[in-house]
Amino acid sequence: MTTPAPLNAAAEQYVKLVLAVGQHDKNYVDAYYGPEAWAKEAEAARMSLLDIGGRAAALVKEVEDVPVPDDALLAMRRRFLLTQLNALSARVRMLSGEQLKFDEESEALYGARSPRHTEADFEAVHAELEKLIPGPGPLPERLTRFRQDFVIPKDKLDVVMRTAMEEARRRTLKFVKLPAHESFTLEFVTHKPWGGYNWFKGNATSLIQINTDLPIFISRAIDLGAHEGYPGHHVYNALLEQHLVRERGWVEFSVYPLYSPMSFIAEGSANYGIEMAFPDAADYLRDVLFPLAGLDPKRADEYSRMEELNKKLSYADNEAGRRYLDGEISRDAARDWLIRYALLSPERATQRMAFIDSNRAYIINYNAGQDLVKQYVERQAGPGATPVRKWEVFLELLSSPRLPADLR
């Protein structure tokens, strides 16, 4: 398999353009482990947004002029570069002042749109939660009180988190071969708009940070361990590095622009990875994490039923974000909407609004991304597929240049 020389040249220019955008948007370059000289060059040059946009448009034409390769993987690489460059151009326009509607933005940056949901969709879930958590007062308040019994004590947070992450790692390594030296460092931080973050450093290493601004519920140990670590972001980045950067020399994968279609795959696969690694999550919570955290295992099944129902409200984030960012409701009204329909506590609704303010339509990547990845894996694996077969399809996705359009 021989890559057309113009694609290799375009890949290098693409990386340099991503780094150039990073000089105007501190969140844009989520990870970079390519040549240090390129990063220094971008910092020194500080190319204007106008110039970046012009060069990106010219580069798109260069890649379009490359005939579609017969090899499926190379054709995917060509399509990846075009898709990422178009998203980069959209981000440059936004940084230059162009305003997009929520759906327009998600399509331009992530190559996808979130399905629409009505209040009635969420109220149907509320009705199920009402039966599980009866009593006086509004449902959001009852749910908040109920969940307080399942907060990980601060003095147990480190051991619970590390135990869940190591279990996620153990389970993932049964199906995937990672470099022998792969590793992660875990840190607890505060004053962030997110709950957890993976900072991939290259050489199959990550810094995983957990935000402790708000109390952390016991199920989040599994969610964060799998999502940020195994088989989530850490594994996704390590596999791209191993198979595409090191083995094939595709430099475009040495940089990860956050506001791009890559994030739809990254977040969607990381969320789906929770289910892949922990199909028995309720049992693992009851038998391992509840005792470790000093919580009552007899209430574990009740708690797990509540969390399973609560996950069905995830699209309420997208609806609040769409209405707020499209100017249909105020920020305060969006926060109240999250309390009413996503059943968030006032503190968590405030934190969620901070995330939406910072990342805007990025929120679709978690739920719409998860749904598309799940559908793709299950369709490719086939009806009645064994766990081994599903893992094969899942890991092939994580190791490839596939983007949202390739999963439909």
Side-chain angles (χ1 to χ4, degrees), residues 132-308:
L132 187 61
I133 313 171
L139 181 58
E141 293 180 10
R142 276 183 278 142
L143 180 61
T144 296
R145 288 196 301 269
F146 176 88
R147 297 179 93 188
Q148 290 310 306
D149 291 341
F150 304 100
V151 170
I152 305 172
K154 288 186 177 181
D155 63 339
K156 302 288 182 65
L157 188 57
D158 186 79
V159 66
V160 170
M161 281 293 178
R162 291 185 188 278
T163 298
M165 285 187 176
E166 288 298 340
E167 180 65 12
R169 180 177 185 273
R170 184 189 70 81
R171 293 176 178 217
T172 298
L173 292 181
K174 289 169 61 178
F175 299 96
V176 58
K177 183 178 176 59
L178 292 177
H181 61 273
E182 66 85 19
S183 65
F184 69 91
T185 300
L186 178 64
E187 287 184 356
F188 296 98
V189 298
T190 56
H191 305 300
K192 303 295 182 183
W194 37 257
Y197 212 105
N198 177 295
W199 304 97
F200 190 71
K201 302 299 184 180
N203 199 29
T205 61
S206 291
L207 168 63
I208 296 176
Q209 293 182 326
I210 306 299
N211 183 14
T212 61
D213 283 343
L214 298 174
I216 298 176
F217 304 118
I218 188 69
S219 62
R220 291 290 285 160
I222 288 178
D223 292 351
L224 291 168
H227 182 102
E228 305 299 344
Y230 306 82
H233 294 324
H234 175 69
V235 171
Y236 175 62
N237 284 294
L239 289 176
L240 290 179
E241 178 185 32
Q242 177 182 332
H243 294 295
L244 301 185
V245 179
R246 295 188 181 276
E247 294 177 7
R248 299 183 183 279
W250 292 0
V251 296
E252 63 267 38
F253 290 94
S254 65
V255 69
Y256 173 13
L258 187 65
Y259 305 115
S260 77
M262 280 186 78
S263 284
F264 192 85
I265 301 298
E267 302 293 2
S269 62
N271 264 2
Y272 180 60
I274 300 169
E275 176 183 333
M276 290 292 291
F278 289 94
D280 60 339
D283 293 341
Y284 183 74
L285 279 171
R286 182 190 62 236
D287 298 339
V288 178
L289 296 188
F290 264 66
L292 191 62
L295 304 180
D296 183 1
K298 294 178 181 178
R299 300 191 64 195
D301 291 343
E302 176 189 19
Y303 170 76
S304 292
R305 285 197 300 273
M306 180 278 298
E307 288 292 2
E308 195 60 36

Side-chain angles (χ1 to χ4, degrees), residues 28-73:
Y28 189 67
V29 181
D30 190 76
Y32 176 63
Y33 49 90
E36 186 179 350
W38 293 1
K40 291 182 177 178
E41 176 186 326
E43 187 176 355
R46 194 168 174 79
M47 193 187 309
S48 71
L49 289 171
L50 184 63
D51 285 345
I52 295 171
R55 294 193 187 188
L59 191 55
V60 165
K61 292 181 180 179
E62 290 179 24
V63 177
E64 287 177 337
D65 287 342
V66 177
V68 178
D70 293 331
D71 180 86
L73 196 63

Side-chain angles (χ1 to χ4, degrees), residues 128 200 225 407:
E128 296 183 68
F200 190 71
L407 270 57

